[in-house]
């Protein structure tokens, strides 16, 4: 059973960089053909895919967030990390990590609330 767990600050100030880590257990993030995504859900809105890092280490980002997004990984810890720069209150959301590419997710983390506020 694959399990994912998000961790990171729940409050970020405007213009700062949001940083979240997803720790994966029960499976390796380098296993062939799996993708590891970050997704968010702003209050009152639907899910928004942010980007993914593939088993190979390659990354792909949502065009609308690409200029502010970076996803990296630490294979020794079986973790992958999201960094979203220059945040504004519009980046307030529940952030999830999941296994899979857009609309093909099979395992999710429980989600973590991030609020952008001074």
């Amino acid at each position: 059973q694959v399990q994912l767990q998000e961790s990171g600050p729940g409050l970020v100030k405007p213009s700062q960089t949001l940083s979240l880590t997803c720790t994966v257990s029960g499976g390796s993030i380098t296993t062939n053909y799996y993708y590891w995504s970050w997704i968010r859900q702003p209050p009152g809105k639907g899910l928004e895919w942010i980007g993914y890092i593939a088993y190979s280490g390659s990354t792909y980002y949502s065009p609308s967030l690409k200029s502010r997004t970076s996803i990296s990984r630490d294979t020794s810890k079986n973790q992958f990390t999201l960094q979203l720069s220059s945040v504004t209150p519009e980046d307030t959301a529940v952030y999830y990590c999941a296994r899979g590419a857009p609309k093909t997710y099979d395992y999710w983390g429980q989600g973590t609330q991030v609020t952008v506020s001074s």
Side-chain angles (χ1 to χ4, degrees):
Q1 179 81 359
V2 175
Q3 294 184 313
L4 299 93
Q5 178 67 57
E6 305 89 351
S7 60
L11 180 65
V12 183
K13 288 182 166 53
S15 80
Q16 292 188 342
T17 295
L18 177 162
S19 184
L20 296 174
T21 295
C22 183
T23 301
V24 179
S25 59
S28 172
I29 62 173
T30 62
T31 298
N32 275 353
Y33 313 126
Y34 284 120
Y35 297 80
W36 304 90
S37 285
W38 284 101
I39 304 117
R40 69 182 184 180
Q41 186 167 28
K45 298 184 179 180
L47 293 170
E48 178 183 21
W49 174 72
I50 300 168
Y52 65 63
I53 186 163
Y55 59 96
S56 60
S58 61
T59 54
Y60 190 74
Y61 305 125
S62 167
S64 65
L65 295 169
K66 182 178 181 180
S67 63
R68 299 194 290 129
T69 304
S70 177
I71 298 175
S72 59
R73 67 181 184 176
D74 185 336
T75 57
S76 68
K77 296 181 180 179
N78 215 35
Q79 296 175 332
F80 61 105
T81 298
L82 168 70
Q83 290 193 307
L84 184 66
S85 63
S86 304
V87 296
T88 72
E90 286 67 41
D91 293 308
T92 294
V94 178
Y95 285 75
Y96 299 92
C97 57
R99 189 177 78 171
K103 301 185 180 180
T104 65
Y105 314 115
D106 54 3
Y107 291 100
W108 292 73
Q110 65 182 24
T112 187
Q113 173 70 45
V114 178
T115 300
V116 179
S117 175
S118 55

